[in-house]
Structure formats: structure tokens, C-alpha cells
Amino acid sequence: MQKLRINGGHSLKGELAISGSKNAALPIMAACLLCPNEIQIENVPNLRDIKTMSLLLSHMGATIEKGTENTIKINAKNINQKFAPYDLVKTMRASIVVLGPLLARFGEAIVSLPGGCSIGARPVNLHIEGLSAMGAKIEIKNGYIHAVASELKGCEFEFNPVSVTGTANLMMAASLAKGKTILDNSAKEPEIVNLGEFLITLGANISGLGTEQIIIEGVKSLKSECFKVIPDRIEAATFLIAALITRSNLKINNLIPDHLKEPIDILRGSGAKINVSRESIDIKPPEKIKPVSFKTEPYPGIPTDIQAQLMVLNILADGHSTIHETIFENRFMHVLELQRMGADISLSRNVASIKGIKGLKSAPVMATDLRASAALVLAALAAEGETIVDRIYHIDRGYENIDKKLSSIGAMVERIES
Ligand code: EPZ
């Protein structure tokens, strides 16, 4: 198992480029199941989860060809297994997004229930209710979703609560369904807009992307095309926060500032000086970090995927702040590890109260989930001395070459085998 050895407590400098978005690339790869021809996808990040999705698609019979840097070609012409096994799905819950495309193109799918993860129960009832409303017959047997549909029909379905992959699954299924589908209280995340734009490139008829009502008119078939994945706004926010907690001037390139409005506002609230250009952000730290209280919300609110990282900023702020996690029921696993580094945090249900401290202390820590591990890496960069972050396979799921990127801006980071 690999670890990261980080010598923190000093500032960084320079610039780095953001990779493609994991949470856009994964449903876009699954959407290739809708089309019997080769599709080329560009700006795909080189991540564990992308490898898992590639494995899953090839397990079904698709051919996956890695092109030049961050380009893949997927051909789902010969799908001979409409089956997503537990041993793959349990390593990546997002595998659930193959359900909608398999049902839409083949009328059948057997997909393992993803099960929970460290941040919550992660139910998929909305995915099942929505596809059933489109005419699928769905049974849960021995931990698997057994779904059949002679023909999917358009329907009106309201999400409650908003579900990102739920919206992805139903939008993909509706693309080939008969008639009109209206999805209410849909996810507005840029990753869902990117997926919808991809489907439209293939010939789907979709309107309302980025609003709470998405309307899809089913078409007979989709054609092959080439498409580029958007940059990862969560990675970008993570590195912006890294600049502030290490008191560094950084330039972050290859991003879409429009996808980062709320995070930029909150970082400006902490005192950061932020200069936004078309595809990059220059960030400078304040003398003293001001505490910023917030609650996580669906887009365009503060994303839950940067809650742990913003907690590290508040730990090093000059004063008291509160963080209210409203999306997942157990997304404070990073608190225990941060407390071991000296953080002063108290929890009451889904609210964390943080009292700013002068500095974190290095300590051996262990990652529990993707974004918690990003927060531990940030904390290690800020803490004086050597910190070992264990189980960094969690971080490799969502951050491309994080050690190389950090080293390129002067961080003392080394990947070691345990
Ligand atoms: C997506 O997960 C992201 N993953 C998550 O990112 C992200 O944290 C989350 O959206 C919220 O933004 C991918 O896109 C691959 P949800 P998803 O369905 O779709 C409840 C990361 O770190 N719900 O939007 O699984 C659910 O319990 C990952 O990159 C139901 O009740 O999340 C939660 O409280 C972590 N029934 C809320 O909705 C359902 O059928 C939002 O979940 C589905 C969801």
C-alpha cells in the first residue's frame, strides 16, 4: 500500500494545470454504451476511478483504446454482457451510471447495488424509481439490481433530494426513450451539463441543462463523435486552498472560473486576493486567514466535495467558524485525523465548530475517503515537519499525479511503498 511522505511548513510557488473532471468523465464514459460506434473522449484524467470504469466497460465487451495523453477511444459495438459485478462496483459507486445506458440501448441490465461508503449510505432509490417511471421492471435480488424494459417511455420525474448521478442515469436513459422526459429538481452541476452537452453532440435532444428542469426528447439512435471533458473544479479548489494554507502565491491554469463562483467568493471572504482570467486564477494569501462559516449545498452552492479542504483553511484561520454538511450524513471522517494534528474541532450531528489555531503539527495519518485524503495532504503541507499520509489509493481515485503536481510547485512530497 502506498503512502505520501510530506515535509510541510514552507511556502510553495509557481503554477500548475488542472486535469479533466473525474465526475464528468465517468458518466460520459458510461454514456458511450448508448452508441454502437467508436467515440473519442479528450482531457480524461489518468485516475484509479477511470481505470475502474474502463475495466467495467471492457468487462461488458466494449473496446477501450488509450490514445495520446488523456485521450481514450471507446467502442461499445459488441456489448455481450449487460452485467456490472459487485467486485468492480464496490470499488467505485459511480459504476451505477451504466444502468441507464444499458437499459436504454439493450432493454436489460444487472448491476450490483453500490452499497454505502465511508461518507454515507449512498442509496440509489431515485435511480430505480426514475427508471421504473420510464417503464423498466426492476427487482432487487441478492444485492443486484435486475432491470428489464421492452421499451423505455418518456415520463415526468422529480428528484427529491437532488441527485447528481441520478440525474445522469435518467438523462442518458431518456435520450433513447420513446417520447418526452421531464426531469424536475435535476442536478445543475457542471459535470451534468458536460454530460448533457456530450449527449447532444451524439445527437440527443436535450434542453434545460444547468437548470432544475431538464427536458429530453428521445431519439432513435446516437452517432459517434469526439468530445472534450471539462476541467475538474474540485481539484482546482483544492489547489487554491493549498496556496492559502501554505501562504503561497500560485497560478492555477486550465480551469473554468465560472464553475468556481461560490468557492472563489468564500476564499475571498477568508482574505485571499484572487485575480480571475479566462482559464486561470492567480491567488495570493492574506496576512491572516479570516474564518469562513458555510454550509454545503447542491450546485451552485458550496460543493460538499471541498468541505474537508475548506475545514483545513478554517483550522488555520484567526477565529471561530462553523461548517454544516447538508449532503451526506457522515462526511466528517477527516475530523478525527485532523484532531490528531492538533486541530480544535467539535462536532454536533452535521455541524463542525472550528476554533482557529496557530499551526498544525505533523503526525502519521490515514486517509478514509477521497476528499478527506485531500484535506490530510493539505494539512500536511501546512504542518511543520514530516507527515505520513497512509492509504493514498483513496486520493489517487480523484487527483491525477498529485505528488508530481505538488512537487512541481516546490512541495516536499514523496510517494513511498509501505
Ligand atoms: C455525486 O455523487 C459525486 N460523484 C460525489 O462526488 C458528490 O459528492 C455528490 O454527487 C454530491 O455532489 C460522482 O459524480 C461520481 P447524489 P452521487 O446522488 O451522485 C441522496 C467525489 O468525491 N440520494 O447527488 O452519488 C444521497 O444520499 C464524490 O468525487 C438519495 O437519497 O450523490 C445524498 O444525500 C463523492 N437517493 C444526496 O442524495 C438516491 O437515489 C446527494 O447524492 C440518490 C441520492
Side-chain angles (χ1 to χ4, degrees), residues 22-23 26 93-94 119 122-127 161-166 189 304-305 327-329 331 370-371:
K22 166 179 84 78
N23 291 350
L26 291 172
R93 297 191 59 270
I119 64 176
R122 313 295 295 277
V124 290
N125 60 302
L126 296 172
H127 301 240
V162 173
S163 168
V164 173
T165 49
E189 273 69 5
T304 173
D305 291 349
I327 307 292
F328 292 112
E329 65 271 27
R331 201 167 200 174
L370 168 53
R371 305 305 173 182

Side-chain angles (χ1 to χ4, degrees), residues 15 35 37 75 150 152 156 169 174 179 206 220 232 276-277 280 307 335 340 392 411:
E15 51 187 277
C35 173
N37 306 308
N75 192 327
S150 50
L152 287 179
E156 177 138 15
N169 245 336
I206 301 174
K220 283 249 169 301
D232 194 312
V276 177
S277 317
S280 63
Q307 177 256 102
V335 168
R340 297 185 55 247
I392 54 153

Side-chain angles (χ1 to χ4, degrees), residues 278-316:
R278 206 167 60 81
E279 291 182 341
S280 63
I281 288 180
D282 283 285
I283 185 164
K284 290 184 174 48
E287 268 312 299
K288 273 188 179 176
I289 298 170
K290 289 188 217 119
V292 280
S293 295
F294 66 92
K295 68 177 181 176
T296 59
E297 290 178 297
Y299 193 86
I302 293 290
T304 173
D305 291 349
I306 64 170
Q307 177 256 102
Q309 301 90 310
L310 283 172
M311 185 176 282
V312 180
L313 184 69
N314 276 327
I315 288 167
L316 296 167

Side-chain angles (χ1 to χ4, degrees), residues 68-99:
T68 55
E69 190 60 15
N70 299 107
T71 297
I72 53 171
K73 291 180 185 162
I74 298 176
N75 192 327
K77 187 170 173 3
N78 302 317
I79 295 297
N80 45 40
Q81 286 218 61
K82 291 84 178 178
F83 174 56
Y86 177 58
D87 62 350
L88 276 177
V89 174
K90 74 180 179 211
T91 64
M92 183 186 66
R93 297 191 59 270
S95 310
I96 189 73
V97 295
V98 302
L99 179 60

